[in-house]
Amino acid sequence: MRSRMTMATLVILALMVGVLALGCDGRAQQDRAEEDRVADERDADDLDADDPIVAPSRVVVAGDEPRVVLDSAERRRIGLRVAALTHASAESGRHLPGQVMPEPERTVTLRAPVTGRLTIAEGRRWPALGQRLAAGAIVGRVSDAQPLTVPLGGTVTAVGARPGEIVEAGQALLEVADNTHPVVRIAWPGDAGRPPERVSIRPSDGETPVQAALIGPAAEADPLTRRPAYLYRSRRRWAGAVPGTPVTALVPDGERTEGVLVPDDAVVQWEGLAWVYVSRGPGEFARVRMPTDQPVPGGWIARAPLEEGDSVVVTGVQELLSEEFRSRVTVGEESGE
């Protein structure tokens, strides 16, 4: 009996020793974890909490040329596409600023003949700003007076009343201008020589140039440059050809400019200049300055350093620009510091 009790006592004592050992080991681990935490906090206190976080860069420098490097997955993500530059030529010359001018003699104002309520013609709508009307078109009536007809075909440039309103006799209801052949005033510098009989008018980027014939000198100087000005009549109208619209006139010099055609989609603006991204190899793209002194429909004629056969980015250009300068963006700093 005593032997069995002794054996049981030994077993219990062994278990108690094991439990105590485990407890001591667990406490030691907790103490070490606490020491590590305190050390980490101490190291963190040594760092400046306001230190900026710099974004990783995908820009490498080859020689003196920075290049944006993107892997195939990143190129697919932004939908990046390139196109090869092809040879192109265009008539060269000097670009002069111009402006579409109003023509009072080709503008008519439709006025209320009597006082009364303005109504629209049956089955018609009251003309809207910018709508084209044919000469003789019936647009409405005031009270019991004769129907209102448009004496001159053209575009509605002003709306003075709406159907249902009571209008006064003589009140302006519509203004219609015939701008099928817009007149453009071109500021003429003294060193530009005599104005030629014809110039090319470039309404805006991407628009097809419009030929214009010389009318003669303008009655007044250009109000912006104070230079003498000449008037030219365009062969046709274009969208947005309303008085006050700025245009550019190409005065030919008898020469032709040779180069490559850079499409509009390939050009990105940065710091007031135009740039393109040229492929330098698989996934590598360099930003190259692009002159804009020779615009043509759909883009520009450019010369060196751009050459025929160069591949330029036409989709994803803005993303490349952002990626190139992303490393400059920091968290914790004010912009411009």
PDB file of all heavy atoms in Angstrom, residues 34-59:
ATOM      1  N   GLU A  34       7.847  41.462 -24.949  1.00  0.00           N
ATOM      2  CA  GLU A  34       7.680  42.822 -24.436  1.00  0.00           C
ATOM      3  C   GLU A  34       8.952  43.642 -24.668  1.00  0.00           C
ATOM      4  O   GLU A  34       8.901  44.818 -25.048  1.00  0.00           O
ATOM      5  CB  GLU A  34       7.343  42.780 -22.942  1.00  0.00           C
ATOM      6  CG  GLU A  34       7.137  44.135 -22.298  1.00  0.00           C
ATOM      7  CD  GLU A  34       5.921  44.869 -22.856  1.00  0.00           C
ATOM      8  OE1 GLU A  34       5.051  44.201 -23.454  1.00  0.00           O
ATOM      9  OE2 GLU A  34       5.835  46.092 -22.679  1.00  0.00           O
ATOM     10  N   GLU A  35      10.111  43.002 -24.480  1.00  0.00           N
ATOM     11  CA  GLU A  35      11.367  43.706 -24.732  1.00  0.00           C
ATOM     12  C   GLU A  35      11.502  44.089 -26.204  1.00  0.00           C
ATOM     13  O   GLU A  35      11.955  45.193 -26.542  1.00  0.00           O
ATOM     14  CB  GLU A  35      12.527  42.810 -24.311  1.00  0.00           C
ATOM     15  CG  GLU A  35      12.633  42.607 -22.808  1.00  0.00           C
ATOM     16  CD  GLU A  35      13.731  41.626 -22.452  1.00  0.00           C
ATOM     17  OE1 GLU A  35      14.364  41.096 -23.397  1.00  0.00           O
ATOM     18  OE2 GLU A  35      13.959  41.382 -21.255  1.00  0.00           O
ATOM     19  N   ASP A  36      11.085  43.185 -27.093  1.00  0.00           N
ATOM     20  CA  ASP A  36      11.140  43.502 -28.532  1.00  0.00           C
ATOM     21  C   ASP A  36      10.212  44.665 -28.878  1.00  0.00           C
ATOM     22  O   ASP A  36      10.558  45.533 -29.689  1.00  0.00           O
ATOM     23  CB  ASP A  36      10.755  42.265 -29.352  1.00  0.00           C
ATOM     24  CG  ASP A  36      11.797  41.156 -29.250  1.00  0.00           C
ATOM     25  OD1 ASP A  36      12.944  41.465 -28.850  1.00  0.00           O
ATOM     26  OD2 ASP A  36      11.445  39.998 -29.560  1.00  0.00           O
ATOM     27  N   ARG A  37       9.017  44.672 -28.298  1.00  0.00           N
ATOM     28  CA  ARG A  37       8.060  45.764 -28.582  1.00  0.00           C
ATOM     29  C   ARG A  37       8.606  47.108 -28.141  1.00  0.00           C
ATOM     30  O   ARG A  37       8.523  48.111 -28.853  1.00  0.00           O
ATOM     31  CB  ARG A  37       6.743  45.471 -27.881  1.00  0.00           C
ATOM     32  CG  ARG A  37       5.627  46.477 -28.202  1.00  0.00           C
ATOM     33  CD  ARG A  37       4.366  46.183 -27.410  1.00  0.00           C
ATOM     34  NE  ARG A  37       4.609  46.375 -25.981  1.00  0.00           N
ATOM     35  CZ  ARG A  37       4.607  47.568 -25.388  1.00  0.00           C
ATOM     36  NH1 ARG A  37       4.413  48.660 -26.105  1.00  0.00           N
ATOM     37  NH2 ARG A  37       4.819  47.671 -24.088  1.00  0.00           N
ATOM     38  N   VAL A  38       9.187  47.129 -26.931  1.00  0.00           N
ATOM     39  CA  VAL A  38       9.763  48.380 -26.431  1.00  0.00           C
ATOM     40  C   VAL A  38      10.906  48.850 -27.326  1.00  0.00           C
ATOM     41  O   VAL A  38      11.043  50.043 -27.630  1.00  0.00           O
ATOM     42  CB  VAL A  38      10.243  48.186 -24.972  1.00  0.00           C
ATOM     43  CG1 VAL A  38      11.006  49.423 -24.492  1.00  0.00           C
ATOM     44  CG2 VAL A  38       9.063  47.902 -24.053  1.00  0.00           C
ATOM     45  N   ALA A  39      11.702  47.902 -27.793  1.00  0.00           N
ATOM     46  CA  ALA A  39      12.814  48.271 -28.676  1.00  0.00           C
ATOM     47  C   ALA A  39      12.300  48.848 -29.998  1.00  0.00           C
ATOM     48  O   ALA A  39      12.847  49.818 -30.522  1.00  0.00           O
ATOM     49  CB  ALA A  39      13.688  47.042 -28.942  1.00  0.00           C
ATOM     50  N   ASP A  40      11.229  48.242 -30.534  1.00  0.00           N
ATOM     51  CA  ASP A  40      10.659  48.760 -31.786  1.00  0.00           C
ATOM     52  C   ASP A  40      10.132  50.169 -31.594  1.00  0.00           C
ATOM     53  O   ASP A  40      10.295  51.036 -32.466  1.00  0.00           O
ATOM     54  CB  ASP A  40       9.542  47.828 -32.267  1.00  0.00           C
ATOM     55  CG  ASP A  40      10.086  46.491 -32.749  1.00  0.00           C
ATOM     56  OD1 ASP A  40      11.298  46.428 -33.046  1.00  0.00           O
ATOM     57  OD2 ASP A  40       9.284  45.528 -32.833  1.00  0.00           O
ATOM     58  N   GLU A  41       9.462  50.403 -30.476  1.00  0.00           N
ATOM     59  CA  GLU A  41       8.940  51.743 -30.222  1.00  0.00           C
ATOM     60  C   GLU A  41      10.073  52.751 -30.079  1.00  0.00           C
ATOM     61  O   GLU A  41       9.981  53.885 -30.548  1.00  0.00           O
ATOM     62  CB  GLU A  41       8.069  51.731 -28.967  1.00  0.00           C
ATOM     63  CG  GLU A  41       6.759  50.971 -29.129  1.00  0.00           C
ATOM     64  CD  GLU A  41       5.933  50.994 -27.858  1.00  0.00           C
ATOM     65  OE1 GLU A  41       6.470  51.468 -26.811  1.00  0.00           O
ATOM     66  OE2 GLU A  41       4.778  50.540 -27.894  1.00  0.00           O
ATOM     67  N   ARG A  42      11.154  52.319 -29.431  1.00  0.00           N
ATOM     68  CA  ARG A  42      12.296  53.220 -29.268  1.00  0.00           C
ATOM     69  C   ARG A  42      12.915  53.554 -30.619  1.00  0.00           C
ATOM     70  O   ARG A  42      13.282  54.696 -30.895  1.00  0.00           O
ATOM     71  CB  ARG A  42      13.333  52.569 -28.350  1.00  0.00           C
ATOM     72  CG  ARG A  42      14.516  53.488 -28.017  1.00  0.00           C
ATOM     73  CD  ARG A  42      15.314  52.972 -26.832  1.00  0.00           C
ATOM     74  NE  ARG A  42      15.736  51.575 -27.041  1.00  0.00           N
ATOM     75  CZ  ARG A  42      15.252  50.543 -26.361  1.00  0.00           C
ATOM     76  NH1 ARG A  42      14.316  50.740 -25.433  1.00  0.00           N
ATOM     77  NH2 ARG A  42      15.672  49.311 -26.615  1.00  0.00           N
ATOM     78  N   ASP A  43      13.020  52.541 -31.508  1.00  0.00           N
ATOM     79  CA  ASP A  43      13.554  52.804 -32.845  1.00  0.00           C
ATOM     80  C   ASP A  43      12.644  53.731 -33.633  1.00  0.00           C
ATOM     81  O   ASP A  43      13.108  54.589 -34.389  1.00  0.00           O
ATOM     82  CB  ASP A  43      13.735  51.485 -33.610  1.00  0.00           C
ATOM     83  CG  ASP A  43      14.831  50.630 -32.994  1.00  0.00           C
ATOM     84  OD1 ASP A  43      15.670  51.190 -32.248  1.00  0.00           O
ATOM     85  OD2 ASP A  43      14.829  49.403 -33.249  1.00  0.00           O
ATOM     86  N   ALA A  44      11.327  53.553 -33.467  1.00  0.00           N
ATOM     87  CA  ALA A  44      10.379  54.404 -34.189  1.00  0.00           C
ATOM     88  C   ALA A  44      10.474  55.840 -33.720  1.00  0.00           C
ATOM     89  O   ALA A  44      10.321  56.785 -34.504  1.00  0.00           O
ATOM     90  CB  ALA A  44       8.950  53.883 -34.006  1.00  0.00           C
ATOM     91  N   ASP A  45      10.738  56.031 -32.409  1.00  0.00           N
ATOM     92  CA  ASP A  45      10.858  57.392 -31.896  1.00  0.00           C
ATOM     93  C   ASP A  45      12.057  58.109 -32.475  1.00  0.00           C
ATOM     94  O   ASP A  45      12.106  59.338 -32.526  1.00  0.00           O
ATOM     95  CB  ASP A  45      10.968  57.372 -30.363  1.00  0.00           C
ATOM     96  CG  ASP A  45       9.662  56.941 -29.710  1.00  0.00           C
ATOM     97  OD1 ASP A  45       8.622  57.070 -30.388  1.00  0.00           O
ATOM     98  OD2 ASP A  45       9.683  56.484 -28.554  1.00  0.00           O
ATOM     99  N   ASP A  46      13.075  57.306 -32.887  1.00  0.00           N
ATOM    100  CA  ASP A  46      14.272  57.925 -33.457  1.00  0.00           C
ATOM    101  C   ASP A  46      14.050  58.434 -34.871  1.00  0.00           C
ATOM    102  O   ASP A  46      14.860  59.181 -35.412  1.00  0.00           O
ATOM    103  CB  ASP A  46      15.433  56.916 -33.470  1.00  0.00           C
ATOM    104  CG  ASP A  46      15.880  56.573 -32.046  1.00  0.00           C
ATOM    105  OD1 ASP A  46      15.628  57.405 -31.142  1.00  0.00           O
ATOM    106  OD2 ASP A  46      16.458  55.481 -31.856  1.00  0.00           O
ATOM    107  N   LEU A  47      12.932  57.996 -35.544  1.00  0.00           N
ATOM    108  CA  LEU A  47      12.639  58.432 -36.915  1.00  0.00           C
ATOM    109  C   LEU A  47      11.809  59.702 -36.900  1.00  0.00           C
ATOM    110  O   LEU A  47      11.044  59.944 -35.969  1.00  0.00           O
ATOM    111  CB  LEU A  47      11.871  57.332 -37.668  1.00  0.00           C
ATOM    112  CG  LEU A  47      12.613  56.015 -37.853  1.00  0.00           C
ATOM    113  CD1 LEU A  47      11.688  55.002 -38.512  1.00  0.00           C
ATOM    114  CD2 LEU A  47      13.871  56.210 -38.690  1.00  0.00           C
ATOM    115  N   ASP A  48      11.963  60.515 -37.907  1.00  0.00           N
ATOM    116  CA  ASP A  48      11.153  61.727 -38.057  1.00  0.00           C
ATOM    117  C   ASP A  48       9.787  61.341 -38.586  1.00  0.00           C
ATOM    118  O   ASP A  48       9.671  60.818 -39.687  1.00  0.00           O
ATOM    119  CB  ASP A  48      11.839  62.708 -39.017  1.00  0.00           C
ATOM    120  CG  ASP A  48      11.099  64.026 -39.122  1.00  0.00           C
ATOM    121  OD1 ASP A  48      10.023  64.151 -38.489  1.00  0.00           O
ATOM    122  OD2 ASP A  48      11.602  64.922 -39.821  1.00  0.00           O
ATOM    123  N   ALA A  49       8.750  61.627 -37.798  1.00  0.00           N
ATOM    124  CA  ALA A  49       7.389  61.246 -38.209  1.00  0.00           C
ATOM    125  C   ALA A  49       6.950  61.968 -39.464  1.00  0.00           C
ATOM    126  O   ALA A  49       6.016  61.552 -40.138  1.00  0.00           O
ATOM    127  CB  ALA A  49       6.408  61.525 -37.069  1.00  0.00           C
ATOM    128  N   ASP A  50       7.617  63.089 -39.785  1.00  0.00           N
ATOM    129  CA  ASP A  50       7.226  63.868 -40.960  1.00  0.00           C
ATOM    130  C   ASP A  50       8.038  63.517 -42.194  1.00  0.00           C
ATOM    131  O   ASP A  50       7.934  64.164 -43.221  1.00  0.00           O
ATOM    132  CB  ASP A  50       7.388  65.376 -40.675  1.00  0.00           C
ATOM    133  CG  ASP A  50       6.422  65.853 -39.613  1.00  0.00           C
ATOM    134  OD1 ASP A  50       5.328  65.279 -39.531  1.00  0.00           O
ATOM    135  OD2 ASP A  50       6.766  66.796 -38.872  1.00  0.00           O
ATOM    136  N   ASP A  51       8.915  62.501 -42.093  1.00  0.00           N
ATOM    137  CA  ASP A  51       9.693  62.103 -43.264  1.00  0.00           C
ATOM    138  C   ASP A  51       8.754  61.687 -44.384  1.00  0.00           C
ATOM    139  O   ASP A  51       7.822  60.911 -44.173  1.00  0.00           O
ATOM    140  CB  ASP A  51      10.609  60.922 -42.936  1.00  0.00           C
ATOM    141  CG  ASP A  51      11.845  61.391 -42.165  1.00  0.00           C
ATOM    142  OD1 ASP A  51      12.053  62.613 -42.122  1.00  0.00           O
ATOM    143  OD2 ASP A  51      12.557  60.529 -41.621  1.00  0.00           O
ATOM    144  N   PRO A  52       8.931  62.235 -45.619  1.00  0.00           N
ATOM    145  CA  PRO A  52       8.030  61.883 -46.725  1.00  0.00           C
ATOM    146  C   PRO A  52       8.201  60.445 -47.166  1.00  0.00           C
ATOM    147  O   PRO A  52       9.274  59.865 -47.044  1.00  0.00           O
ATOM    148  CB  PRO A  52       8.449  62.853 -47.841  1.00  0.00           C
ATOM    149  CG  PRO A  52       9.875  63.159 -47.540  1.00  0.00           C
ATOM    150  CD  PRO A  52       9.989  63.167 -46.024  1.00  0.00           C
ATOM    151  N   ILE A  53       7.108  59.900 -47.673  1.00  0.00           N
ATOM    152  CA  ILE A  53       7.130  58.562 -48.260  1.00  0.00           C
ATOM    153  C   ILE A  53       7.275  58.728 -49.765  1.00  0.00           C
ATOM    154  O   ILE A  53       6.416  59.329 -50.417  1.00  0.00           O
ATOM    155  CB  ILE A  53       5.842  57.797 -47.929  1.00  0.00           C
ATOM    156  CG1 ILE A  53       5.683  57.673 -46.407  1.00  0.00           C
ATOM    157  CG2 ILE A  53       5.861  56.420 -48.576  1.00  0.00           C
ATOM    158  CD1 ILE A  53       4.345  57.096 -45.999  1.00  0.00           C
ATOM    159  N   VAL A  54       8.357  58.269 -50.312  1.00  0.00           N
ATOM    160  CA  VAL A  54       8.640  58.459 -51.725  1.00  0.00           C
ATOM    161  C   VAL A  54       8.099  57.277 -52.517  1.00  0.00           C
ATOM    162  O   VAL A  54       8.368  56.126 -52.191  1.00  0.00           O
ATOM    163  CB  VAL A  54      10.149  58.627 -51.973  1.00  0.00           C
ATOM    164  CG1 VAL A  54      10.422  58.831 -53.454  1.00  0.00           C
ATOM    165  CG2 VAL A  54      10.698  59.790 -51.157  1.00  0.00           C
ATOM    166  N   ALA A  55       7.311  57.595 -53.569  1.00  0.00           N
ATOM    167  CA  ALA A  55       6.745  56.539 -54.401  1.00  0.00           C
ATOM    168  C   ALA A  55       7.851  55.870 -55.210  1.00  0.00           C
ATOM    169  O   ALA A  55       8.802  56.515 -55.639  1.00  0.00           O
ATOM    170  CB  ALA A  55       5.706  57.129 -55.342  1.00  0.00           C
ATOM    171  N   PRO A  56       7.761  54.585 -55.400  1.00  0.00           N
ATOM    172  CA  PRO A  56       8.774  53.900 -56.203  1.00  0.00           C
ATOM    173  C   PRO A  56       8.743  54.407 -57.640  1.00  0.00           C
ATOM    174  O   PRO A  56       7.703  54.788 -58.162  1.00  0.00           O
ATOM    175  CB  PRO A  56       8.345  52.428 -56.126  1.00  0.00           C
ATOM    176  CG  PRO A  56       6.891  52.468 -55.795  1.00  0.00           C
ATOM    177  CD  PRO A  56       6.698  53.676 -54.943  1.00  0.00           C
ATOM    178  N   SER A  57       9.900  54.433 -58.275  1.00  0.00           N
ATOM    179  CA  SER A  57      10.006  54.976 -59.627  1.00  0.00           C
ATOM    180  C   SER A  57      10.230  53.867 -60.636  1.00  0.00           C
ATOM    181  O   SER A  57      10.907  52.876 -60.352  1.00  0.00           O
ATOM    182  CB  SER A  57      11.156  55.974 -59.692  1.00  0.00           C
ATOM    183  OG  SER A  57      11.367  56.414 -61.017  1.00  0.00           O
ATOM    184  N   ARG A  58       9.654  54.054 -61.831  1.00  0.00           N
ATOM    185  CA  ARG A  58       9.908  53.145 -62.943  1.00  0.00           C
ATOM    186  C   ARG A  58      10.751  53.835 -64.000  1.00  0.00           C
ATOM    187  O   ARG A  58      10.684  53.503 -65.172  1.00  0.00           O
ATOM    188  CB  ARG A  58       8.582  52.664 -63.558  1.00  0.00           C
ATOM    189  CG  ARG A  58       7.759  51.732 -62.663  1.00  0.00           C
ATOM    190  CD  ARG A  58       6.643  51.098 -63.476  1.00  0.00           C
ATOM    191  NE  ARG A  58       5.879  50.138 -62.699  1.00  0.00           N
ATOM    192  CZ  ARG A  58       4.752  50.394 -62.075  1.00  0.00           C
ATOM    193  NH1 ARG A  58       4.260  51.626 -62.118  1.00  0.00           N
ATOM    194  NH2 ARG A  58       4.109  49.477 -61.398  1.00  0.00           N
ATOM    195  N   VAL A  59      11.522  54.837 -63.602  1.00  0.00           N
ATOM    196  CA  VAL A  59      12.341  55.609 -64.524  1.00  0.00           C
ATOM    197  C   VAL A  59      13.792  55.196 -64.387  1.00  0.00           C
ATOM    198  O   VAL A  59      14.329  55.108 -63.281  1.00  0.00           O
ATOM    199  CB  VAL A  59      12.190  57.125 -64.253  1.00  0.00           C
ATOM    200  CG1 VAL A  59      13.088  57.925 -65.195  1.00  0.00           C
ATOM    201  CG2 VAL A  59      10.742  57.559 -64.413  1.00  0.00           C
TER     202      VAL A  59
END
